[in-house]
Amino acid sequence: MPPVIKVLVVIVEKVVVSIGGSILIPDDRDSVFIKELASVLKELSVNVNMVIVCGGGKIARYYTNTGKELGGTTEQRDILGIGATRLNAELLRIALGNDAFDGIPENAKDAAAAFGKGKIVVMGGTSPGHTTDAVAAEVAGLIGCRRIINATSVDAVYSDDPKKDRNAERFAELTIEELSKIVYDEHDAGRSSVFDPVGVKIAMRDRINILVVNGRDLDEMRNAILGNKIKGTVIRS
Ligand code: UTP
């Protein structure tokens, strides 16, 4: 009788997370939150290959605004913003310790090359002209990942800013075309919306779904990373 060959197929999921700077650095016991987040990411990285793209938050805003007051061009202010995102990425890398990839990739290609080597790839911005949401979309496209998690300070996509308009409609699901009508059209240094317009175009082109979740809710983050049901908005592409 021929020997029985058993093939064990282990399916490792992949995901790209775009985490807003204001989530990572809430300006209140920041190291406590970063440690908790890192511990969830470490635990899930056993089954899910991840790229975490960190936003610049308040620090980016400080630099892009100060750059504006000094008469800096959009590109110069973008470069300041990128610096802040990379600083935040370094903080998360420290918290992840040995589980983090060694170094911060400077562009999407380098991130794709670092991906899948058993470590969590952590990065910030890359080049002027967009935000870290677009970086996440670009990396997802390169590594063939169909899902981006956008960890933000709101718990879902709304028709308007829910902090300003209490009647704003909350969406459980949207198509990428519907999302593209909600986001602003043009990039400007430090300007923010639910997802960067350049990122929306890449997600549309590469058919990447975007999950918008409250990044401070670590149970929600866990569900989004594992592909379970979320409370936030699912944007289908
Ligand atoms: P963020 O990605 O943090 O932008 O980059 P944001 O608008 O604050 O995003 P959210 O709110 O976290 O989603 C901060 C700034 O850095 C520059 C841009 O000026 C951006 O507004 N940047 C960032 C770039 O120019 N290129 C990048 O790849 C990333």
Side-chain angles (χ1 to χ4, degrees), residues 16 18 133 137 146-152 157 172-176 179 183 194-196 199-204 207-213 230 232-237:
V16 177
S18 173
D133 291 342
R146 292 288 321 274
R147 203 155 49 97
I148 298 171
I149 295 161
N150 189 28
T152 69
V157 180
E173 278 203 24
L174 283 173
T175 64
I176 193 92
L179 178 73
V183 300
V194 65
F195 204 79
D196 169 292
V200 171
K201 285 192 188 112
I202 299 171
M204 230 181 227
R207 313 215 47 184
I208 300 163
N209 297 333
I210 303 167
L211 280 66
V212 178
V213 298
I230 56 161
T233 306
V234 178
I235 299 146
R236 300 200 189 280
S237 184

PDB file of all heavy atoms in Angstrom, residues 16 18 133 137 146-152 157 172-176 179 183 194-196 199-204 207-213 230 232-237:
ATOM      1  N   VAL A  16      -3.836  44.815   6.295  1.00  0.00           N
ATOM      2  CA  VAL A  16      -3.102  46.071   6.451  1.00  0.00           C
ATOM      3  C   VAL A  16      -3.964  46.984   7.321  1.00  0.00           C
ATOM      4  O   VAL A  16      -5.155  47.142   7.069  1.00  0.00           O
ATOM      5  CB  VAL A  16      -2.832  46.745   5.085  1.00  0.00           C
ATOM      6  CG1 VAL A  16      -2.127  48.085   5.285  1.00  0.00           C
ATOM      7  CG2 VAL A  16      -1.985  45.839   4.195  1.00  0.00           C
ATOM      8  N   SER A  18      -4.457  50.787   8.851  1.00  0.00           N
ATOM      9  CA  SER A  18      -4.087  52.201   8.845  1.00  0.00           C
ATOM     10  C   SER A  18      -4.583  52.759  10.168  1.00  0.00           C
ATOM     11  O   SER A  18      -5.788  52.872  10.386  1.00  0.00           O
ATOM     12  CB  SER A  18      -4.768  52.900   7.663  1.00  0.00           C
ATOM     13  OG  SER A  18      -4.544  54.286   7.729  1.00  0.00           O
ATOM     14  N   ASP A 133      -3.351  56.692   4.858  1.00  0.00           N
ATOM     15  CA  ASP A 133      -4.418  55.811   4.330  1.00  0.00           C
ATOM     16  C   ASP A 133      -4.036  55.327   2.926  1.00  0.00           C
ATOM     17  O   ASP A 133      -4.230  54.158   2.581  1.00  0.00           O
ATOM     18  CB  ASP A 133      -5.750  56.573   4.207  1.00  0.00           C
ATOM     19  CG  ASP A 133      -6.340  56.926   5.558  1.00  0.00           C
ATOM     20  OD1 ASP A 133      -5.950  56.319   6.559  1.00  0.00           O
ATOM     21  OD2 ASP A 133      -7.200  57.824   5.586  1.00  0.00           O
ATOM     22  N   ALA A 137      -3.317  51.546   1.382  1.00  0.00           N
ATOM     23  CA  ALA A 137      -3.946  50.998   0.176  1.00  0.00           C
ATOM     24  C   ALA A 137      -2.882  50.510  -0.817  1.00  0.00           C
ATOM     25  O   ALA A 137      -3.026  49.445  -1.421  1.00  0.00           O
ATOM     26  CB  ALA A 137      -4.836  52.057  -0.461  1.00  0.00           C
ATOM     27  N   ARG A 146      -6.874  41.941   0.403  1.00  0.00           N
ATOM     28  CA  ARG A 146      -8.187  42.465  -0.011  1.00  0.00           C
ATOM     29  C   ARG A 146      -8.859  43.303   1.069  1.00  0.00           C
ATOM     30  O   ARG A 146     -10.001  43.692   0.943  1.00  0.00           O
ATOM     31  CB  ARG A 146      -9.101  41.299  -0.390  1.00  0.00           C
ATOM     32  CG  ARG A 146      -8.712  40.541  -1.641  1.00  0.00           C
ATOM     33  CD  ARG A 146      -8.959  41.343  -2.916  1.00  0.00           C
ATOM     34  NE  ARG A 146     -10.173  42.125  -2.892  1.00  0.00           N
ATOM     35  CZ  ARG A 146     -11.368  41.687  -3.219  1.00  0.00           C
ATOM     36  NH1 ARG A 146     -11.547  40.452  -3.597  1.00  0.00           N
ATOM     37  NH2 ARG A 146     -12.420  42.489  -3.183  1.00  0.00           N
ATOM     38  N   ARG A 147      -8.125  43.545   2.187  1.00  0.00           N
ATOM     39  CA  ARG A 147      -8.794  44.169   3.333  1.00  0.00           C
ATOM     40  C   ARG A 147      -7.877  45.180   4.015  1.00  0.00           C
ATOM     41  O   ARG A 147      -6.751  44.854   4.367  1.00  0.00           O
ATOM     42  CB  ARG A 147      -9.090  43.044   4.316  1.00  0.00           C
ATOM     43  CG  ARG A 147     -10.171  43.245   5.289  1.00  0.00           C
ATOM     44  CD  ARG A 147     -10.726  41.874   5.716  1.00  0.00           C
ATOM     45  NE  ARG A 147      -9.701  40.932   6.093  1.00  0.00           N
ATOM     46  CZ  ARG A 147      -9.316  40.689   7.336  1.00  0.00           C
ATOM     47  NH1 ARG A 147      -9.853  41.314   8.331  1.00  0.00           N
ATOM     48  NH2 ARG A 147      -8.382  39.792   7.589  1.00  0.00           N
ATOM     49  N   ILE A 148      -8.373  46.414   4.160  1.00  0.00           N
ATOM     50  CA  ILE A 148      -7.649  47.400   4.960  1.00  0.00           C
ATOM     51  C   ILE A 148      -8.520  47.726   6.157  1.00  0.00           C
ATOM     52  O   ILE A 148      -9.729  47.917   6.009  1.00  0.00           O
ATOM     53  CB  ILE A 148      -7.436  48.726   4.201  1.00  0.00           C
ATOM     54  CG1 ILE A 148      -6.601  48.541   2.966  1.00  0.00           C
ATOM     55  CG2 ILE A 148      -6.793  49.772   5.101  1.00  0.00           C
ATOM     56  CD1 ILE A 148      -6.571  49.810   2.107  1.00  0.00           C
ATOM     57  N   ILE A 149      -7.900  47.809   7.312  1.00  0.00           N
ATOM     58  CA  ILE A 149      -8.652  48.271   8.479  1.00  0.00           C
ATOM     59  C   ILE A 149      -8.248  49.707   8.735  1.00  0.00           C
ATOM     60  O   ILE A 149      -7.062  50.018   8.863  1.00  0.00           O
ATOM     61  CB  ILE A 149      -8.345  47.387   9.699  1.00  0.00           C
ATOM     62  CG1 ILE A 149      -8.872  45.984   9.419  1.00  0.00           C
ATOM     63  CG2 ILE A 149      -8.989  47.976  10.958  1.00  0.00           C
ATOM     64  CD1 ILE A 149      -8.281  44.949  10.283  1.00  0.00           C
ATOM     65  N   ASN A 150      -9.235  50.582   8.759  1.00  0.00           N
ATOM     66  CA  ASN A 150      -8.955  51.985   9.034  1.00  0.00           C
ATOM     67  C   ASN A 150      -9.370  52.262  10.476  1.00  0.00           C
ATOM     68  O   ASN A 150     -10.550  52.393  10.781  1.00  0.00           O
ATOM     69  CB  ASN A 150      -9.724  52.869   8.046  1.00  0.00           C
ATOM     70  CG  ASN A 150      -9.300  54.311   8.141  1.00  0.00           C
ATOM     71  OD1 ASN A 150      -8.171  54.603   8.514  1.00  0.00           O
ATOM     72  ND2 ASN A 150     -10.200  55.216   7.833  1.00  0.00           N
ATOM     73  N   ALA A 151      -8.374  52.307  11.359  1.00  0.00           N
ATOM     74  CA  ALA A 151      -8.642  52.507  12.784  1.00  0.00           C
ATOM     75  C   ALA A 151      -8.675  54.000  13.066  1.00  0.00           C
ATOM     76  O   ALA A 151      -7.647  54.677  13.013  1.00  0.00           O
ATOM     77  CB  ALA A 151      -7.556  51.819  13.602  1.00  0.00           C
ATOM     78  N   THR A 152      -9.880  54.504  13.321  1.00  0.00           N
ATOM     79  CA  THR A 152     -10.061  55.955  13.447  1.00  0.00           C
ATOM     80  C   THR A 152     -10.649  56.330  14.809  1.00  0.00           C
ATOM     81  O   THR A 152     -10.891  55.465  15.649  1.00  0.00           O
ATOM     82  CB  THR A 152     -11.047  56.475  12.374  1.00  0.00           C
ATOM     83  OG1 THR A 152     -12.343  55.975  12.700  1.00  0.00           O
ATOM     84  CG2 THR A 152     -10.675  56.028  10.990  1.00  0.00           C
ATOM     85  N   VAL A 157     -18.490  55.179   9.480  1.00  0.00           N
ATOM     86  CA  VAL A 157     -18.590  56.303   8.540  1.00  0.00           C
ATOM     87  C   VAL A 157     -19.974  56.935   8.708  1.00  0.00           C
ATOM     88  O   VAL A 157     -20.980  56.226   8.809  1.00  0.00           O
ATOM     89  CB  VAL A 157     -18.414  55.834   7.077  1.00  0.00           C
ATOM     90  CG1 VAL A 157     -18.522  57.020   6.125  1.00  0.00           C
ATOM     91  CG2 VAL A 157     -17.077  55.133   6.891  1.00  0.00           C
ATOM     92  N   ALA A 172     -23.663  51.250   7.990  1.00  0.00           N
ATOM     93  CA  ALA A 172     -23.114  49.931   8.338  1.00  0.00           C
ATOM     94  C   ALA A 172     -22.326  49.391   7.151  1.00  0.00           C
ATOM     95  O   ALA A 172     -21.326  48.699   7.318  1.00  0.00           O
ATOM     96  CB  ALA A 172     -24.243  48.974   8.693  1.00  0.00           C
ATOM     97  N   GLU A 173     -22.802  49.714   5.958  1.00  0.00           N
ATOM     98  CA  GLU A 173     -22.140  49.253   4.729  1.00  0.00           C
ATOM     99  C   GLU A 173     -22.187  50.351   3.686  1.00  0.00           C
ATOM    100  O   GLU A 173     -23.145  51.126   3.637  1.00  0.00           O
ATOM    101  CB  GLU A 173     -22.872  48.040   4.152  1.00  0.00           C
ATOM    102  CG  GLU A 173     -22.484  46.765   4.816  1.00  0.00           C
ATOM    103  CD  GLU A 173     -22.728  45.536   3.945  1.00  0.00           C
ATOM    104  OE1 GLU A 173     -22.770  45.685   2.712  1.00  0.00           O
ATOM    105  OE2 GLU A 173     -22.853  44.457   4.506  1.00  0.00           O
ATOM    106  N   LEU A 174     -21.167  50.399   2.865  1.00  0.00           N
ATOM    107  CA  LEU A 174     -21.128  51.351   1.752  1.00  0.00           C
ATOM    108  C   LEU A 174     -20.404  50.675   0.606  1.00  0.00           C
ATOM    109  O   LEU A 174     -19.600  49.763   0.822  1.00  0.00           O
ATOM    110  CB  LEU A 174     -20.300  52.588   2.125  1.00  0.00           C
ATOM    111  CG  LEU A 174     -20.885  53.674   3.036  1.00  0.00           C
ATOM    112  CD1 LEU A 174     -19.798  54.683   3.370  1.00  0.00           C
ATOM    113  CD2 LEU A 174     -22.049  54.372   2.348  1.00  0.00           C
ATOM    114  N   THR A 175     -20.649  51.139  -0.599  1.00  0.00           N
ATOM    115  CA  THR A 175     -19.794  50.695  -1.695  1.00  0.00           C
ATOM    116  C   THR A 175     -18.656  51.713  -1.771  1.00  0.00           C
ATOM    117  O   THR A 175     -18.792  52.841  -1.269  1.00  0.00           O
ATOM    118  CB  THR A 175     -20.542  50.685  -3.038  1.00  0.00           C
ATOM    119  OG1 THR A 175     -20.909  52.033  -3.341  1.00  0.00           O
ATOM    120  CG2 THR A 175     -21.763  49.783  -2.997  1.00  0.00           C
ATOM    121  N   ILE A 176     -17.574  51.331  -2.417  1.00  0.00           N
ATOM    122  CA  ILE A 176     -16.432  52.245  -2.527  1.00  0.00           C
ATOM    123  C   ILE A 176     -16.825  53.497  -3.333  1.00  0.00           C
ATOM    124  O   ILE A 176     -16.336  54.587  -3.071  1.00  0.00           O
ATOM    125  CB  ILE A 176     -15.195  51.519  -3.124  1.00  0.00           C
ATOM    126  CG1 ILE A 176     -13.927  52.351  -2.953  1.00  0.00           C
ATOM    127  CG2 ILE A 176     -15.397  51.117  -4.552  1.00  0.00           C
ATOM    128  CD1 ILE A 176     -13.155  52.083  -1.732  1.00  0.00           C
ATOM    129  N   LEU A 179     -18.447  55.785  -0.940  1.00  0.00           N
ATOM    130  CA  LEU A 179     -17.438  56.427  -0.087  1.00  0.00           C
ATOM    131  C   LEU A 179     -16.745  57.559  -0.836  1.00  0.00           C
ATOM    132  O   LEU A 179     -16.497  58.627  -0.286  1.00  0.00           O
ATOM    133  CB  LEU A 179     -16.379  55.407   0.379  1.00  0.00           C
ATOM    134  CG  LEU A 179     -15.270  56.012   1.224  1.00  0.00           C
ATOM    135  CD1 LEU A 179     -15.777  56.364   2.630  1.00  0.00           C
ATOM    136  CD2 LEU A 179     -14.063  55.083   1.345  1.00  0.00           C
ATOM    137  N   VAL A 183     -15.740  61.498   0.658  1.00  0.00           N
ATOM    138  CA  VAL A 183     -14.421  62.061   0.973  1.00  0.00           C
ATOM    139  C   VAL A 183     -14.160  63.311   0.129  1.00  0.00           C
ATOM    140  O   VAL A 183     -14.758  63.488  -0.931  1.00  0.00           O
ATOM    141  CB  VAL A 183     -13.264  61.036   0.759  1.00  0.00           C
ATOM    142  CG1 VAL A 183     -13.452  59.825   1.650  1.00  0.00           C
ATOM    143  CG2 VAL A 183     -13.128  60.633  -0.692  1.00  0.00           C
ATOM    144  N   VAL A 194     -12.428  60.811   6.380  1.00  0.00           N
ATOM    145  CA  VAL A 194     -12.565  59.430   6.862  1.00  0.00           C
ATOM    146  C   VAL A 194     -11.581  58.476   6.173  1.00  0.00           C
ATOM    147  O   VAL A 194     -11.052  57.570   6.802  1.00  0.00           O
ATOM    148  CB  VAL A 194     -14.031  58.951   6.754  1.00  0.00           C
ATOM    149  CG1 VAL A 194     -14.479  58.880   5.314  1.00  0.00           C
ATOM    150  CG2 VAL A 194     -14.197  57.611   7.411  1.00  0.00           C
ATOM    151  N   PHE A 195     -11.324  58.694   4.909  1.00  0.00           N
ATOM    152  CA  PHE A 195     -10.263  57.941   4.212  1.00  0.00           C
ATOM    153  C   PHE A 195      -9.728  58.848   3.117  1.00  0.00           C
ATOM    154  O   PHE A 195     -10.470  59.567   2.457  1.00  0.00           O
ATOM    155  CB  PHE A 195     -10.809  56.628   3.637  1.00  0.00           C
ATOM    156  CG  PHE A 195      -9.744  55.587   3.444  1.00  0.00           C
ATOM    157  CD1 PHE A 195      -9.275  54.843   4.519  1.00  0.00           C
ATOM    158  CD2 PHE A 195      -9.197  55.364   2.195  1.00  0.00           C
ATOM    159  CE1 PHE A 195      -8.273  53.887   4.358  1.00  0.00           C
ATOM    160  CE2 PHE A 195      -8.201  54.403   2.018  1.00  0.00           C
ATOM    161  CZ  PHE A 195      -7.736  53.663   3.101  1.00  0.00           C
ATOM    162  N   ASP A 196      -8.425  58.802   2.972  1.00  0.00           N
ATOM    163  CA  ASP A 196      -7.742  59.677   2.022  1.00  0.00           C
ATOM    164  C   ASP A 196      -8.228  59.424   0.576  1.00  0.00           C
ATOM    165  O   ASP A 196      -8.394  58.273   0.168  1.00  0.00           O
ATOM    166  CB  ASP A 196      -6.247  59.362   2.201  1.00  0.00           C
ATOM    167  CG  ASP A 196      -5.376  59.949   1.154  1.00  0.00           C
ATOM    168  OD1 ASP A 196      -5.460  59.506  -0.005  1.00  0.00           O
ATOM    169  OD2 ASP A 196      -4.601  60.837   1.484  1.00  0.00           O
ATOM    170  N   GLY A 199      -6.138  57.173  -1.455  1.00  0.00           N
ATOM    171  CA  GLY A 199      -6.320  55.793  -0.971  1.00  0.00           C
ATOM    172  C   GLY A 199      -7.602  55.176  -1.516  1.00  0.00           C
ATOM    173  O   GLY A 199      -7.624  53.993  -1.877  1.00  0.00           O
ATOM    174  N   VAL A 200      -8.657  55.976  -1.606  1.00  0.00           N
ATOM    175  CA  VAL A 200      -9.932  55.474  -2.128  1.00  0.00           C
ATOM    176  C   VAL A 200      -9.748  55.036  -3.584  1.00  0.00           C
ATOM    177  O   VAL A 200     -10.209  53.963  -3.995  1.00  0.00           O
ATOM    178  CB  VAL A 200     -11.049  56.551  -2.024  1.00  0.00           C
ATOM    179  CG1 VAL A 200     -12.301  56.117  -2.767  1.00  0.00           C
ATOM    180  CG2 VAL A 200     -11.376  56.833  -0.564  1.00  0.00           C
ATOM    181  N   LYS A 201      -9.000  55.848  -4.346  1.00  0.00           N
ATOM    182  CA  LYS A 201      -8.797  55.506  -5.773  1.00  0.00           C
ATOM    183  C   LYS A 201      -8.011  54.200  -5.906  1.00  0.00           C
ATOM    184  O   LYS A 201      -8.320  53.362  -6.744  1.00  0.00           O
ATOM    185  CB  LYS A 201      -8.052  56.646  -6.479  1.00  0.00           C
ATOM    186  CG  LYS A 201      -8.971  57.815  -6.732  1.00  0.00           C
ATOM    187  CD  LYS A 201      -8.358  58.848  -7.682  1.00  0.00           C
ATOM    188  CE  LYS A 201      -9.246  60.073  -7.721  1.00  0.00           C
ATOM    189  NZ  LYS A 201      -8.676  61.265  -7.128  1.00  0.00           N
ATOM    190  N   ILE A 202      -6.983  54.038  -5.052  1.00  0.00           N
ATOM    191  CA  ILE A 202      -6.179  52.798  -5.113  1.00  0.00           C
ATOM    192  C   ILE A 202      -7.056  51.600  -4.708  1.00  0.00           C
ATOM    193  O   ILE A 202      -7.029  50.548  -5.351  1.00  0.00           O
ATOM    194  CB  ILE A 202      -4.939  52.889  -4.200  1.00  0.00           C
ATOM    195  CG1 ILE A 202      -4.022  54.029  -4.642  1.00  0.00           C
ATOM    196  CG2 ILE A 202      -4.170  51.560  -4.181  1.00  0.00           C
ATOM    197  CD1 ILE A 202      -2.877  54.344  -3.692  1.00  0.00           C
ATOM    198  N   ALA A 203      -7.855  51.787  -3.662  1.00  0.00           N
ATOM    199  CA  ALA A 203      -8.719  50.688  -3.189  1.00  0.00           C
ATOM    200  C   ALA A 203      -9.721  50.288  -4.275  1.00  0.00           C
ATOM    201  O   ALA A 203     -10.014  49.108  -4.477  1.00  0.00           O
ATOM    202  CB  ALA A 203      -9.444  51.106  -1.918  1.00  0.00           C
ATOM    203  N   MET A 204     -10.207  51.296  -5.001  1.00  0.00           N
ATOM    204  CA  MET A 204     -11.145  51.042  -6.103  1.00  0.00           C
ATOM    205  C   MET A 204     -10.449  50.242  -7.198  1.00  0.00           C
ATOM    206  O   MET A 204     -10.961  49.235  -7.676  1.00  0.00           O
ATOM    207  CB  MET A 204     -11.563  52.385  -6.675  1.00  0.00           C
ATOM    208  CG  MET A 204     -13.025  52.584  -6.829  1.00  0.00           C
ATOM    209  SD  MET A 204     -13.241  54.223  -7.532  1.00  0.00           S
ATOM    210  CE  MET A 204     -14.494  54.826  -6.484  1.00  0.00           C
ATOM    211  N   ARG A 207      -9.473  46.752  -5.904  1.00  0.00           N
ATOM    212  CA  ARG A 207     -10.599  46.026  -5.316  1.00  0.00           C
ATOM    213  C   ARG A 207     -10.316  45.592  -3.882  1.00  0.00           C
ATOM    214  O   ARG A 207     -10.380  44.416  -3.524  1.00  0.00           O
ATOM    215  CB  ARG A 207     -10.953  44.815  -6.184  1.00  0.00           C
ATOM    216  CG  ARG A 207     -11.044  45.184  -7.657  1.00  0.00           C
ATOM    217  CD  ARG A 207     -12.077  44.451  -8.385  1.00  0.00           C
ATOM    218  NE  ARG A 207     -13.328  44.443  -7.648  1.00  0.00           N
ATOM    219  CZ  ARG A 207     -14.394  43.781  -8.051  1.00  0.00           C
ATOM    220  NH1 ARG A 207     -14.347  43.100  -9.155  1.00  0.00           N
ATOM    221  NH2 ARG A 207     -15.508  43.807  -7.360  1.00  0.00           N
ATOM    222  N   ILE A 208      -9.979  46.600  -3.095  1.00  0.00           N
ATOM    223  CA  ILE A 208      -9.673  46.361  -1.677  1.00  0.00           C
ATOM    224  C   ILE A 208     -10.845  46.879  -0.834  1.00  0.00           C
ATOM    225  O   ILE A 208     -11.292  48.014  -1.023  1.00  0.00           O
ATOM    226  CB  ILE A 208      -8.374  47.112  -1.282  1.00  0.00           C
ATOM    227  CG1 ILE A 208      -7.191  46.616  -2.134  1.00  0.00           C
ATOM    228  CG2 ILE A 208      -8.082  46.967   0.203  1.00  0.00           C
ATOM    229  CD1 ILE A 208      -6.003  47.556  -2.123  1.00  0.00           C
ATOM    230  N   ASN A 209     -11.322  46.052   0.076  1.00  0.00           N
ATOM    231  CA  ASN A 209     -12.391  46.483   0.988  1.00  0.00           C
ATOM    232  C   ASN A 209     -11.777  47.273   2.146  1.00  0.00           C
ATOM    233  O   ASN A 209     -10.639  47.007   2.551  1.00  0.00           O
ATOM    234  CB  ASN A 209     -13.127  45.279   1.562  1.00  0.00           C
ATOM    235  CG  ASN A 209     -13.825  44.479   0.479  1.00  0.00           C
ATOM    236  OD1 ASN A 209     -14.190  45.023  -0.568  1.00  0.00           O
ATOM    237  ND2 ASN A 209     -13.997  43.201   0.716  1.00  0.00           N
ATOM    238  N   ILE A 210     -12.539  48.236   2.646  1.00  0.00           N
ATOM    239  CA  ILE A 210     -12.042  49.048   3.767  1.00  0.00           C
ATOM    240  C   ILE A 210     -13.002  48.884   4.947  1.00  0.00           C
ATOM    241  O   ILE A 210     -14.214  49.031   4.787  1.00  0.00           O
ATOM    242  CB  ILE A 210     -11.962  50.545   3.381  1.00  0.00           C
ATOM    243  CG1 ILE A 210     -11.069  50.737   2.146  1.00  0.00           C
ATOM    244  CG2 ILE A 210     -11.452  51.384   4.555  1.00  0.00           C
ATOM    245  CD1 ILE A 210     -11.189  52.127   1.508  1.00  0.00           C
ATOM    246  N   LEU A 211     -12.447  48.571   6.091  1.00  0.00           N
ATOM    247  CA  LEU A 211     -13.269  48.440   7.296  1.00  0.00           C
ATOM    248  C   LEU A 211     -12.953  49.622   8.209  1.00  0.00           C
ATOM    249  O   LEU A 211     -11.802  49.782   8.627  1.00  0.00           O
ATOM    250  CB  LEU A 211     -12.921  47.144   8.043  1.00  0.00           C
ATOM    251  CG  LEU A 211     -13.534  45.844   7.526  1.00  0.00           C
ATOM    252  CD1 LEU A 211     -13.006  45.494   6.160  1.00  0.00           C
ATOM    253  CD2 LEU A 211     -13.221  44.715   8.482  1.00  0.00           C
ATOM    254  N   VAL A 212     -13.944  50.449   8.464  1.00  0.00           N
ATOM    255  CA  VAL A 212     -13.722  51.613   9.328  1.00  0.00           C
ATOM    256  C   VAL A 212     -14.166  51.259  10.745  1.00  0.00           C
ATOM    257  O   VAL A 212     -15.335  50.932  10.979  1.00  0.00           O
ATOM    258  CB  VAL A 212     -14.494  52.841   8.806  1.00  0.00           C
ATOM    259  CG1 VAL A 212     -14.310  54.034   9.735  1.00  0.00           C
ATOM    260  CG2 VAL A 212     -14.032  53.195   7.390  1.00  0.00           C
ATOM    261  N   VAL A 213     -13.219  51.281  11.679  1.00  0.00           N
ATOM    262  CA  VAL A 213     -13.544  50.897  13.064  1.00  0.00           C
ATOM    263  C   VAL A 213     -12.979  51.910  14.054  1.00  0.00           C
ATOM    264  O   VAL A 213     -12.056  52.660  13.736  1.00  0.00           O
ATOM    265  CB  VAL A 213     -12.964  49.493  13.405  1.00  0.00           C
ATOM    266  CG1 VAL A 213     -13.557  48.420  12.531  1.00  0.00           C
ATOM    267  CG2 VAL A 213     -11.433  49.479  13.320  1.00  0.00           C
ATOM    268  N   ILE A 230     -18.002  43.252  12.527  1.00  0.00           N
ATOM    269  CA  ILE A 230     -17.605  44.477  13.235  1.00  0.00           C
ATOM    270  C   ILE A 230     -18.808  45.400  13.455  1.00  0.00           C
ATOM    271  O   ILE A 230     -19.828  45.250  12.793  1.00  0.00           O
ATOM    272  CB  ILE A 230     -16.507  45.244  12.454  1.00  0.00           C
ATOM    273  CG1 ILE A 230     -16.976  45.570  11.018  1.00  0.00           C
ATOM    274  CG2 ILE A 230     -15.185  44.515  12.474  1.00  0.00           C
ATOM    275  CD1 ILE A 230     -16.201  46.681  10.357  1.00  0.00           C
ATOM    276  N   GLY A 232     -18.378  48.694  13.108  1.00  0.00           N
ATOM    277  CA  GLY A 232     -18.114  49.830  12.223  1.00  0.00           C
ATOM    278  C   GLY A 232     -18.670  49.642  10.825  1.00  0.00           C
ATOM    279  O   GLY A 232     -19.574  48.839  10.600  1.00  0.00           O
ATOM    280  N   THR A 233     -18.095  50.359   9.874  1.00  0.00           N
ATOM    281  CA  THR A 233     -18.599  50.347   8.494  1.00  0.00           C
ATOM    282  C   THR A 233     -17.742  49.454   7.592  1.00  0.00           C
ATOM    283  O   THR A 233     -16.507  49.548   7.618  1.00  0.00           O
ATOM    284  CB  THR A 233     -18.598  51.771   7.914  1.00  0.00           C
ATOM    285  OG1 THR A 233     -19.329  52.616   8.788  1.00  0.00           O
ATOM    286  CG2 THR A 233     -19.211  51.818   6.526  1.00  0.00           C
ATOM    287  N   VAL A 234     -18.413  48.625   6.811  1.00  0.00           N
ATOM    288  CA  VAL A 234     -17.709  47.813   5.812  1.00  0.00           C
ATOM    289  C   VAL A 234     -17.897  48.486   4.459  1.00  0.00           C
ATOM    290  O   VAL A 234     -19.027  48.708   4.027  1.00  0.00           O
ATOM    291  CB  VAL A 234     -18.279  46.375   5.766  1.00  0.00           C
ATOM    292  CG1 VAL A 234     -17.568  45.546   4.684  1.00  0.00           C
ATOM    293  CG2 VAL A 234     -18.162  45.696   7.122  1.00  0.00           C
ATOM    294  N   ILE A 235     -16.786  48.831   3.812  1.00  0.00           N
ATOM    295  CA  ILE A 235     -16.858  49.456   2.488  1.00  0.00           C
ATOM    296  C   ILE A 235     -16.393  48.435   1.457  1.00  0.00           C
ATOM    297  O   ILE A 235     -15.236  48.000   1.493  1.00  0.00           O
ATOM    298  CB  ILE A 235     -15.990  50.727   2.443  1.00  0.00           C
ATOM    299  CG1 ILE A 235     -16.513  51.736   3.473  1.00  0.00           C
ATOM    300  CG2 ILE A 235     -15.997  51.345   1.044  1.00  0.00           C
ATOM    301  CD1 ILE A 235     -15.455  52.550   4.106  1.00  0.00           C
ATOM    302  N   ARG A 236     -17.313  48.058   0.606  1.00  0.00           N
ATOM    303  CA  ARG A 236     -16.984  47.007  -0.373  1.00  0.00           C
ATOM    304  C   ARG A 236     -16.499  47.597  -1.685  1.00  0.00           C
ATOM    305  O   ARG A 236     -17.051  48.540  -2.193  1.00  0.00           O
ATOM    306  CB  ARG A 236     -18.192  46.116  -0.619  1.00  0.00           C
ATOM    307  CG  ARG A 236     -18.662  45.445   0.643  1.00  0.00           C
ATOM    308  CD  ARG A 236     -19.500  44.223   0.426  1.00  0.00           C
ATOM    309  NE  ARG A 236     -20.065  43.790   1.696  1.00  0.00           N
ATOM    310  CZ  ARG A 236     -19.416  43.091   2.614  1.00  0.00           C
ATOM    311  NH1 ARG A 236     -18.179  42.693   2.388  1.00  0.00           N
ATOM    312  NH2 ARG A 236     -19.998  42.746   3.753  1.00  0.00           N
ATOM    313  N   SER A 237     -15.457  46.965  -2.190  1.00  0.00           N
ATOM    314  CA  SER A 237     -14.843  47.449  -3.419  1.00  0.00           C
ATOM    315  C   SER A 237     -14.948  46.387  -4.507  1.00  0.00           C
ATOM    316  O   SER A 237     -14.806  45.229  -4.233  1.00  0.00           O
ATOM    317  CB  SER A 237     -13.389  47.760  -3.126  1.00  0.00           C
ATOM    318  OG  SER A 237     -12.786  48.304  -4.248  1.00  0.00           O
TER     319      SER A 237
END
